[in-house]
Amino acid sequence: MTDISITGHTKLTGLLGSPVAHSMSPLMHNEAFRALKLDYVYLCFEVGEEMLSTAVNGLKAAGIRGFNLTMPNKNKIMELMDRLSPAAELIGAANTVVNDNGILTGYNTDGIGFMQSVRDAGHNITGDTMTLLGAGGAATAIAAQAALDGLREIRIFARPTSRFYKRIQALTDKINQITDCRAILCDNADQKALKDSLDSSTILVNATSVGMHPDTSKSLITDPAYFHRGMIVSDIIYEPRKTRLLSLAESAGCQTLNGLYMLLYQGAEAFRLFTGHDMPVSLIKQKYFQ
């Protein structure tokens, strides 16, 4: 890896969150800048909610081109935006901000990243039915983008006791009001409803942390009979690469994918918004996602 050359014209991009030291984003973006010979740099900034407004105002004054947000800032940033993309407005959260001469526009590329990862795996789910597990930030982003991208129906299974339940409930209502997709919110304790939903779904998406390292023995579905051959089963977890859910789905003849390429493609969309150029995805895949 060669050094990044900083000039008087170098455009600044970065990531605001806490913690951020573990993020792959600087590797991805800076490698892509080098490959395309773009005079940009991407840095991480340890910024939590309490200092977010101060940090954003400072970066805006300094002329930052754009930045990404990770937890806990994706919801708080909405208060500081001048404009919002349709997905960010629908979700109520943004993970990417572009600064156009002092005008800050918030985008949410998480759902775009997921949908592109599905297409990258060779699947077209437009007009189909999705069963979605979860109520958190990833679930809301996936549901919103899937609705905007033309899915026919999304059945969302969540715990009524979840601290995110009211938010996913509000999103379900919005999807039904402003898109052609039908969204249905269900109690994830209702196993009959879950089985019935899976029987008629093209794709199942686990957007919860169940099964993530170190609790890799866990899965929200433990009976392979819930799956049908040919169903697409996606788990947004990528550590481990193959969760128990994905192993069970494979044993039932399902096509599976994890969350690794969702991470790649949400970053690729942010890169495009920052620079106007397509990220060299094949190169980034080879270097960081094998």
Side-chain angles (χ1 to χ4, degrees), residues 5-19:
S5 297
I6 305 295
T7 75
H9 301 284
T10 300
K11 293 181 175 66
L12 176 63
T13 59
L15 174 67
L16 279 61
S18 184

Side-chain angles (χ1 to χ4, degrees), residues 2 4 8 28 31 48 50 53 62 70-71 98 124 151 153 169 188 193 206 224 228 233 237 246-247 250 258 282:
T2 58
I4 298 172
M28 292 168 52
E31 186 66 39
E50 67 285 351
S53 178
T70 187
M71 296 303 294
V98 176
N124 178 8
L151 263 76
E153 189 165 291
Q169 196 170 40
N188 72 346
N206 175 40
H228 57 83
V233 177
I237 293 168
L246 295 185
S247 294
E250 281 187 358
N258 64 28
S282 297

Side-chain angles (χ1 to χ4, degrees), residues 87-107:
E89 190 164 13
L90 186 56
I91 296 161
N95 74 331
T96 301
V97 174
V98 176
N99 178 17
D100 291 306
N101 300 314
I103 303 298
L104 300 185
T105 303
Y107 299 84

Side-chain angles (χ1 to χ4, degrees), residues 1-5 30-31 34-35 287:
M1 183 182 292
T2 58
D3 291 336
I4 298 172
S5 297
N30 287 319
E31 186 66 39
R34 276 188 289 270
K287 292 206 71 166

